[in-house]
Amino acid sequence: MAQAPSAMTMSGGKACPVAAIDIGAHAVRMVVAQVFPDGRIEVLERFHRPVRLGQDTFSHGRLGSEAMRAALGVLRDFRNTLQLFQVQRVRAVATSAVREAMNADTFLDRIYLATGLNVEIIGPSEESRLTVSAVLHALGEQLDIRRDKTLIVEVGGGGTLLTVLEGGEIVVSESLRLGSIRIQELLNTTEEPPERSAELVRHHVANTLSMMEGTLNLQEVKIFIAVGGDARLAAKWAGRAEGAEGWWVIETPAFDKLVRRLQKLSPQQISRRHGIPFTQAEMLGPALLIYQILLHAADVPQMWVSPVSMRDGLLLELAREVTGQEDETVYRGVIHSTLAIAQKYRIDLEHAQQVAEMACRLFDQLKADHGLGARHRLLLRVAALLHEIGIFVSPQAYHKHSYYLVLNSEIFGLNRDEIVVVAHIARYHRRSGPKPTHLEYMSLPREKRVVVNKLAALLRVADALAGSHLQPIHLERIQREGDELIVWVAPGADLLLIRRSLAMVGDMLEDIYGLRVRVEES
């Protein structure tokens, strides 16, 4: 059972078995699929085991020992299943219940020792990105989301993810601390009569949403898409199948009627009447109330219910990795988020984009030397766009401020490890390169330090070549001759200034690539 983080490519034209595991607030789930050489995914089996990891985290801030033991037992079973299916690549992630627990590291260590699974804790932006990726892939052409403002909502045990799309692109992504388990623990509604419990939940949700009103502008939403098991259950009871396979539509009045009926029932009554497990019935009421309040805030006539989830987004990502394909939607989302951060800190965007273009041209020219892939090129572009945001704090030692601001930013589409790498690349775009005394750098794994060194060396040269903010440089071509990298610039450039700048930062390129940079005028 392989689980290496680097991309693996398919060989011999055979299907590659892969698996995605999601350790959530109220269940541990796994989906096993096979990926074909053309990128097609065929799901072989889906597994769902209820484990209330969120119950102790949301009330006490720590994962409970009983819940951890139960989760470990499930994951041991999953490991055996992975071996049975001869799975070659696994991605296992954990969300809010583990992310917020003080003893998360202990739990993840226990999982690794017991199963060999290396579980990655992902943030809300990564959850949202994966979910949206799966929804858009499954949606096909049945909804015109490029014309209409779209809201995608997923209510989980620990929180609610809200993603707003305009022109088919993600413009807002918010995570609200409104989850079915979290609300029960916070409001202690388990002992309340059903209708009183619903009233408390409704009031709490409305208060939380009122604080987000200006950010989300839900009144402009035209298409409402719900994601999650609770929404799918509601769709089967009160909706109709529509469009592509697995999609449902619930008219708003029919959904309101269903919620009114269910909020009069206790979880035990819901479980008995509808033949669903008690654990599912217990979370159904709060989850549907959250969907209902958001549906009315958007004031749309119906709710589309998606057949896919974040795990399907994980599968899509695994499929791209094993087939070597790119996802242009993810790329655009990352750049859109990066530009929003750049504008927030009021940088010279024209200069930043010029530096980014030059850095990427250097990356392409030296591809045989650095051996890095398309994802690393994206990280270099992001670092180049953000390398000067530290000036917002102070022009003095601003590269250090850039490091701090990037490190503490949410860049939609990048995971936490990638943001750390980007922060270090931005940190070393000027002044001294990495040193053994730089503790944050030294704490990185060796392979990440190598990536930082290779990409920071390129960014340093690109920044020097870009010249001053007042006199942009036009780079015409790059040519390699022996141990020299010759850069040809358009006439009129201040070669003396460029050469002086290169002399201050070019040592890192020579150390890493064994190349000296020479600038000539065309």
Side-chain angles (χ1 to χ4, degrees):
M1 179 180 64
Q3 201 183 323
S6 59
M8 56 180 288
T9 55
M10 306 182 73
S11 60
K14 296 180 180 179
C16 175
V18 300
I21 297 174
D22 168 22
I23 303 174
H26 60 86
V28 180
R29 305 176 180 90
M30 180 172 73
V31 55
V32 179
Q34 53 184 353
V35 177
F36 293 89
D38 60 359
R40 184 167 51 89
I41 300 170
E42 178 185 323
V43 173
L44 301 176
E45 196 74 62
R46 294 182 185 270
F47 302 88
H48 176 286
R49 300 281 187 84
V51 180
R52 297 291 289 267
L53 285 167
Q55 191 164 15
D56 292 304
T57 296
F58 303 144
S59 56
H60 306 299
R62 297 176 61 85
L63 294 162
S65 57
E66 185 177 339
M68 285 195 289
R69 281 195 299 271
L72 283 169
V74 171
L75 291 169
R76 285 192 186 97
D77 290 343
F78 283 0
R79 179 196 57 192
N80 295 334
T81 302
L82 293 171
Q83 292 171 344
L84 181 65
F85 280 98
Q86 298 181 328
V87 168
Q88 297 179 26
R89 182 72 201 275
V90 184
R91 187 172 178 198
V93 302
T95 53
S96 59
V98 179
R99 185 170 61 232
E100 298 175 25
M102 291 184 288
N103 56 343
D105 287 341
T106 301
F107 179 50
L108 297 188
D109 289 345
R110 288 179 64 183
I111 292 174
Y112 182 75
L113 291 172
T115 67
L117 291 169
N118 197 355
V119 178
E120 170 192 357
I121 296 177
I122 61 173
S125 63
E126 179 76 349
E127 285 187 70
S128 184
R129 180 185 71 80
L130 291 165
T131 300
V132 170
S133 175
V135 169
L136 295 182
H137 185 265
L139 194 55
E141 302 296 326
Q142 62 186 322
L143 286 175
D144 191 1
I145 62 169
R146 295 197 175 276
R147 186 189 66 186
D148 296 321
K149 189 170 184 177
T150 302
L151 175 66
I152 299 177
V153 181
E154 179 173 21
V155 179
T160 295
L161 296 175
L162 304 176
T163 309
V164 178
L165 286 75
E166 289 185 6
E169 302 288 341
I170 297 164
V171 293
V172 178
S173 177
E174 295 287 345
S175 174
L176 306 182
R177 295 171 72 86
L178 294 173
S180 49
I181 295 178
R182 189 191 297 275
I183 285 178
Q184 286 179 336
E185 295 301 320
L186 178 67
L187 303 179
N188 195 22
T189 59
T190 52
E191 301 300 322
E192 297 285 348
E195 292 186 85
R196 172 59 179 164
S197 175
E199 182 184 343
L200 291 171
V201 171
R202 194 181 296 278
H203 182 72
H204 177 70
V205 173
N207 282 344
T208 303
L209 288 177
S210 66
M211 295 186 286
M212 301 297 301
E213 191 171 350
T215 305
L216 294 168
N217 295 320
L218 295 180
Q219 298 81 4
E220 300 175 4
V221 168
K222 302 298 182 185
I223 299 174
F224 188 108
I225 299 176
V227 178
D230 297 306
R232 289 193 294 272
L233 200 58
K236 291 177 183 178
W237 292 343
R240 67 179 187 275
E242 187 80 23
E245 184 179 355
W247 283 86
W248 293 75
V249 169
I250 312 178
E251 303 299 329
T252 299
F255 187 65
D256 289 341
K257 183 178 179 181
L258 173 66
V259 172
R260 283 196 302 270
R261 179 169 63 81
L262 291 178
Q263 71 183 21
K264 297 177 181 179
L265 305 176
S266 68
Q268 292 90 341
Q269 291 171 319
I270 294 173
S271 176
R272 286 197 301 269
R273 291 191 185 186
H274 293 279
I276 62 174
F278 174 79
T279 53
Q280 188 174 11
E282 194 177 17
M283 296 182 297
L284 186 63
L288 295 187
L289 281 171
I290 296 170
Y291 284 117
Q292 184 190 38
I293 292 169
L294 287 166
L295 188 61
H296 281 273
D299 194 25
V300 291
Q302 59 190 14
M303 178 171 77
W304 286 78
V305 180
S306 164
V308 295
S309 66
M310 182 190 72
R311 290 172 298 286
D312 296 282
L314 286 170
L315 282 182
L316 285 172
E317 203 152 83
L318 285 167
R320 294 184 188 109
E321 288 177 11
V322 300
T323 58
Q325 296 176 354
E326 297 281 339
D327 184 0
E328 283 299 319
T329 303
V330 171
Y331 179 89
R332 291 194 301 269
V334 171
I335 297 302
H336 186 280
S337 178
T338 302
L339 291 175
I341 295 170
Q343 291 167 345
K344 174 183 176 181
Y345 293 111
R346 304 172 191 168
I347 68 163
D348 182 343
L349 197 54
E350 184 177 350
H351 175 75
Q353 289 175 323
Q354 185 186 27
V355 173
E357 287 302 320
M358 288 185 176
C360 288
R361 287 185 66 178
L362 289 167
F363 181 96
D364 296 339
Q365 181 70 31
L366 298 176
K367 192 169 184 179
D369 296 85
H370 55 63
L372 301 177
R375 190 70 176 182
H376 296 106
R377 190 179 190 273
L378 175 60
L379 298 185
L380 174 62
R381 183 178 288 276
V382 171
L385 289 171
L386 300 179
H387 74 284
E388 287 189 340
I389 63 173
I391 295 173
F392 183 86
V393 177
S394 171
Q396 302 297 320
Y398 73 82
H399 54 293
K400 296 181 181 178
H401 301 310
S402 292
Y403 166 81
Y404 177 81
L405 292 176
V406 173
L407 192 66
N408 290 279
S409 295
E410 283 282 348
I411 302 175
F412 191 86
L414 299 188
N415 62 39
R416 190 67 218 154
D417 286 346
E418 289 173 327
I419 291 174
V420 170
V421 169
V422 169
H424 278 88
I425 298 167
R427 159 73 173 84
Y428 292 115
H429 86 273
R430 69 193 288 265
R431 298 290 177 87
S432 71
K435 295 179 178 178
T437 54
H438 295 172
L439 299 181
E440 294 88 353
Y441 168 80
M442 293 304 295
S443 67
L444 294 174
R446 179 181 294 276
E447 62 271 16
K448 286 189 173 58
R449 294 203 302 269
V450 170
V451 170
V452 168
N453 291 345
K454 290 179 177 180
L455 298 183
L458 299 179
L459 180 54
R460 288 164 78 89
V461 171
D463 190 46
L465 290 173
S468 70
H469 290 246
L470 299 177
Q471 187 186 15
I473 303 299
H474 179 64
L475 191 156
E476 295 201 336
R477 71 182 190 275
I478 303 172
Q479 180 180 342
R480 181 171 178 174
E481 288 187 3
D483 60 357
E484 279 193 325
L485 194 66
I486 305 173
V487 178
W488 301 87
V489 297
D494 189 338
L495 294 185
L496 181 62
L497 178 62
I498 295 174
R499 287 166 180 163
R500 186 176 298 166
S501 298
L502 280 170
M504 296 172 63
V505 300
D507 57 333
M508 193 169 174
L509 188 84
E510 189 167 359
D511 289 343
I512 301 299
Y513 294 92
L515 294 171
R516 295 188 301 274
V517 183
R518 176 157 60 93
V519 182
E520 299 291 346
E521 190 175 80
S522 296

